[in-house]
Amino acid sequence: MNRALDPLAAQLLLRAYARATNMLIAGRSFATDDPTLAALLRAFGAHVGPLSDAEGTPASPPVVFSLEEDATPRPGAITVLAPGGVFRAVIAPDGRIITGPGDEGRIEWARAHMPVTEVAARALAPLVAGRSVGLSLVLEPKTAALALMLSEAGARVSVFGWASETREDVAARLRDADIPVFADSAASREREWELAREFLDQRSEFLLDDGSHLIRLAHETERCPGVLDALVGAAEETTSGLRPLRSFDLHIPVMASNDARSKTLFDNGYGTGQSCWTTILDLIDPRGVGAPVAGMSVVVIGYGDVGRGCARFGAALGARVTVVELDPVRALQASMDGFAVASLEEAAASGGMLISATGERATIPLSALEAAPEGAIVTVAGGVDGEVSIDEAVAASWVMAESGDPHVQTLTSPSGKTLRVLERGEGINYTAGEGNPIEIMDMSFGVQLASLRELLTHEGELSPGLHDLPREADDAVAAAALGALSLS
């Protein structure tokens, strides 16, 4: 292939790789001779070289974009096969076609690329054998791999998942492995809380939480009698989950896993940034012709680690990014990173897309919905319930309706203006997508297991309240991840 790809074709190939593999772009080795695709990959943080220099290891195979008319898979590499620049398939190093979340063996695929978690779980075996560990996480292949590794290490594992974050095929696989699962993708809100209480009634000694809902519920002794007495400690892996715990009367030690540098700097920025954008692109371009993001005005609300990732990857796709940030230091960072900075109402008035990246309620209030132009896209990167003020809008006579795509709704004002809301305003990457890339979650789970090790080795010594992961444990996770990416 001699003619360079156009930007939309390059975007489609990047999306095809991400959808099929659920793997990271930043930090990974890619090989292509196409300048447009190479530029896009580099903007996402990839290490890009020519086809002739494609190198990797069995644990970290290179990704080769084979675009020639007679394109064939590259043995030992992940090959994106696109003869003439038209996507055909993604081929695994062993020659299998991989298509995405529905692949048979998806859990095994994830596990094969989670060396940090695998080594950490094996090392925990002498400590965790016979102990009960509850996992409250998004129920998808990577989380299933974590549960299986802990179970194989000898822990008595149980799993909870919220309805919108549960894949039934994954739940079934865990049940087949004799791991109790408290999740139902069709559960009502009331049933979800019943399942949460049933999960806590297992009296786990350790709880690895996502959002701190279960940690806080365990402290409600009238609703969950006896649960707190059994809990030795817990760990929380999200920014939005730690926020309420900082002013909460904790009766157990809780490791602030999210605050570890190996978690928040990578999961929130690189992982959420990539997975949110690839999911958004797939939703707004269901026919796969290329999403017209280049030149679009995109408003990113919040410039923490998640906001920085969303802004960076949006700019990499050619969007004109404006940042809304109340913290003057972070606003200054955004400006020095090259982004426009404006008030919410000013930015929303010209925004083709509004992305909330704060993890706080009402980040996109009714006033911003009223200011947004016809057809604007409204979505949330990670986050909490109510980040988009949909209930307030409905109370003000706006109408929320289905669009025909289960992940896209319309929100119409009394005057007839219609906005597109993705996934009802829930965190887009883990409800409509497959969550953060495997390598990123491998690091995050490595931090969670390092937190579990701290709780196990210092049982009875840690005071109730939040505790940071020791620096040496944090550094060890980063060093292992660096080695896995073959960048050391």
Side-chain angles (χ1 to χ4, degrees), residues 25-36:
I25 295 170
R28 179 163 287 282
S29 295
F30 290 79
T32 179
D33 290 333
D34 182 81
T36 307

Side-chain angles (χ1 to χ4, degrees), residues 18-391:
R19 181 172 54 253
T21 65
N22 191 217
M23 293 177 72
L24 189 61
I25 295 170
R28 179 163 287 282
S29 295
F30 290 79
T32 179
D33 290 333
D34 182 81
T36 307
L37 181 57
L40 179 58
L41 289 167
R42 288 193 183 99
F44 267 67
H47 297 259
V48 186
L51 288 175
S52 58
D53 292 343
E55 294 181 358
T57 69
S60 183
V63 180
V64 172
F65 285 87
S66 189
L67 311 182
E68 300 302 319
E69 296 293 348
D70 57 352
T72 57
R74 178 75 64 93
I78 297 172
T79 304
V80 181
L81 204 59
V86 179
F87 174 70
R88 180 176 295 170
V90 177
I91 312 297
D94 62 4
R96 291 180 298 114
I97 295 176
I98 48 177
T99 60
D103 286 344
E104 186 176 349
R106 195 64 167 177
I107 295 173
E108 289 73 22
W109 170 262
R111 183 168 182 169
H113 297 95
M114 294 171 60
V116 176
T117 308
E118 189 88 52
V119 170
R122 289 176 181 171
L124 269 179
L127 295 171
V128 81
R131 308 302 296 270
S132 53
V133 180
L135 304 178
S136 172
L137 298 170
V138 178
L139 197 52
E140 45 82 29
K142 299 179 291 292
T143 303
L146 169 65
L148 291 168
M149 291 181 208
L150 274 174
S151 179
E152 291 164 12
R156 292 184 287 112
V157 177
S158 56
V159 174
F160 169 79
W162 299 102
S164 64
E165 302 171 7
T166 294
R167 279 184 45 180
E168 291 295 345
D169 59 329
V170 173
R173 280 288 306 278
L174 291 179
R175 292 186 179 109
D176 289 344
D178 295 325
I179 294 175
V181 176
F182 299 85
D184 180 354
S185 62
S188 64
R189 198 60 171 167
E190 181 181 359
R191 177 57 181 155
E192 284 183 309
W193 286 107
E194 287 178 1
L195 288 167
R197 290 192 294 273
E198 290 172 14
F199 166 77
L200 291 175
D201 281 343
Q202 300 299 296
R203 303 290 197 275
S204 293
E205 298 167 278
F206 303 94
L207 173 60
L208 305 186
D209 205 356
D210 181 337
S212 78
H213 300 91
L214 278 295
I215 292 173
R216 286 174 282 155
L217 180 59
H219 282 73
E220 297 185 26
T221 54
E222 291 187 4
R223 297 177 70 191
C224 303
V227 171
L228 201 59
D229 295 335
L231 264 179
V232 173
E236 170 54 43
E237 74 156 4
T238 66
T239 304
S240 56
L242 280 181
R243 188 175 290 116
L245 293 184
R246 298 193 192 282
S247 57
F248 192 85
D249 183 19
L250 287 166
H251 293 185
I252 56 171
V254 176
M255 300 301 300
S257 300
N258 179 77
D259 288 352
R261 296 187 306 158
S262 294
K263 195 280 179 187
T264 190
L265 293 178
F266 300 91
D267 186 298
N268 295 356
Y270 298 95
T272 303
Q274 174 182 317
S275 60
C276 283
W277 266 110
T278 53
T279 303
I280 288 168
L281 294 175
D282 285 344
L283 291 182
I284 66 176
D285 177 35
R287 294 188 297 123
V289 297
V293 174
M296 178 186 287
S297 175
V298 172
V299 180
V300 175
I301 306 164
Y303 205 67
D305 291 314
V306 171
R308 282 193 287 273
C310 289
R312 175 191 173 196
F313 291 124
L317 291 161
R320 294 183 291 108
V321 177
T322 298
V323 170
V324 174
E325 175 56 73
L326 298 179
D327 183 327
V329 173
R330 287 181 171 176
L332 181 60
Q333 280 184 304
S335 180
M336 289 192 175
D337 286 341
F339 300 113
V341 178
S343 68
L344 178 57
E345 278 69 26
E346 179 186 358
S350 59
M353 183 185 301
L354 278 62
I355 303 176
S356 175
T358 65
E360 296 188 12
R361 290 181 60 85
T363 297
I364 301 181
L366 178 57
S367 60
L369 299 175
E370 291 172 336
E374 168 70 31
I377 298 161
V378 179
T379 190
V380 173
V384 297
D385 291 343
E387 214 155 320
V388 181
S389 297
I390 294 173
D391 289 346

Side-chain angles (χ1 to χ4, degrees), residues 284 348-354 364-379 388-390 393 398-403 407-424:
I284 66 176
S350 59
M353 183 185 301
L354 278 62
I364 301 181
L366 178 57
S367 60
L369 299 175
E370 291 172 336
E374 168 70 31
I377 298 161
V378 179
T379 190
V388 181
S389 297
I390 294 173
W398 288 57
V399 177
M400 186 80 158
E402 297 300 323
S403 70
H407 300 297
V408 181
Q409 291 74 44
T410 59
L411 186 61
T412 304
S413 72
S415 66
K417 179 182 72 178
T418 296
L419 309 177
R420 284 189 288 170
V421 178
L422 304 187
E423 199 57 46
R424 298 173 179 80

Side-chain angles (χ1 to χ4, degrees), residues 417-467:
K417 179 182 72 178
T418 296
L419 309 177
R420 284 189 288 170
V421 178
L422 304 187
E423 199 57 46
R424 298 173 179 80
E426 295 189 49
I428 192 66
N429 59 329
Y430 55 82
T431 53
E434 202 175 0
N436 283 347
I438 296 170
E439 301 95 327
I440 289 293
M441 295 310 299
D442 187 29
M443 291 182 66
S444 295
F445 292 154
V447 169
Q448 283 283 62
L449 293 187
S451 296
L452 178 57
R453 173 178 284 277
E454 286 297 309
L455 294 169
L456 285 159
T457 55
H458 298 286
E459 185 174 350
E461 302 172 12
L462 297 172
S463 61
L466 289 176
H467 296 265

